[in-house]
Amino acid sequence: MEQAIRLATENVTSGNGGPFGAVIVKDGQVIATGANCVTSSNDPTAHAEVTAIRNACQALGTFKLDGCEVYTSCEPCPMCLAAIYWSRCDVIYYGNSAADAAKVGFDDALFYQEVMLPHAERQLPIHQLIPEKAWESFAEWDKSPLKVEY
């Protein structure tokens, strides 16, 4: 956890990005780290946890991080939380809370609320188009001998 917090602080003092750092550990060894680089990379998905997951997957040569632990300087936002779930990590440890992040301008409350709302009630319009055509790719996936389950 101390390494994740140190990464977050160094990220701010170096001017590379926001105050967020993450470390992924497997079998007691650090596999990968990540720091927030949203503004320096012009990538809104470049949060510390997502960056660390990408780096860990690259290091281990897999898209599944089962057996791994995530240490993050702040409670993961909804995007990062979903990424951690998709990566199949075993546990998350965090330093600052989402409420702490909100105090310094990183308020994720809207995102948590929006996800719970029916599509028609969300602030960002969302509409389904040509689902019958879209289903074709799922049908191909469903019968493909090349699919890799995840």
Side-chain angles (χ1 to χ4, degrees):
M1 179 58 74
E2 289 181 7
Q3 186 176 358
I5 294 167
R6 193 168 44 254
L7 283 168
T9 303
E10 290 169 359
N11 206 46
V12 173
T13 58
S14 70
N16 286 331
F20 303 97
V23 175
I24 297 182
V25 173
K26 184 168 187 164
D27 300 325
Q29 298 294 316
V30 173
I31 301 302
T33 64
N36 178 287
C37 55
V38 169
T39 56
S40 61
S41 66
N42 294 320
D43 179 355
T45 69
H47 288 200
E49 297 90 339
V50 172
T51 301
I53 288 168
R54 290 174 180 160
N55 292 339
C57 290
Q58 188 72 33
L60 296 175
T62 182
F63 60 88
K64 289 184 180 181
L65 298 178
D66 47 326
C68 291
E69 302 171 336
V70 177
Y71 294 83
T72 180
S73 64
C74 187
E75 185 176 357
C77 74
M79 176 184 69
C80 292
L81 185 60
I84 293 167
Y85 270 92
W86 275 113
S87 72
R88 308 292 195 253
C89 288
D90 290 357
V91 63
I92 303 166
Y93 301 101
Y94 68 91
N96 292 311
S97 69
D100 294 332
K103 291 176 189 173
V104 295
F106 298 97
D107 192 350
D108 297 328
L110 172 68
F111 304 128
Y112 284 106
Q113 294 165 4
E114 286 284 299
V115 169
M116 300 298 292
L117 293 174
H119 290 178
E121 295 177 26
R122 293 183 185 173
Q123 289 184 25
L124 180 64
I126 180 169
H127 307 283
Q128 186 176 23
L129 297 175
I130 57 173
E132 62 285 345
K133 184 73 173 170
W135 185 257
E136 292 173 11
S137 56
F138 281 172
E140 286 300 315
W141 170 261
D142 196 40
K143 67 182 181 185
S144 175
L146 303 175
K147 72 179 167 186
V148 177
E149 297 289 343
Y150 60 99

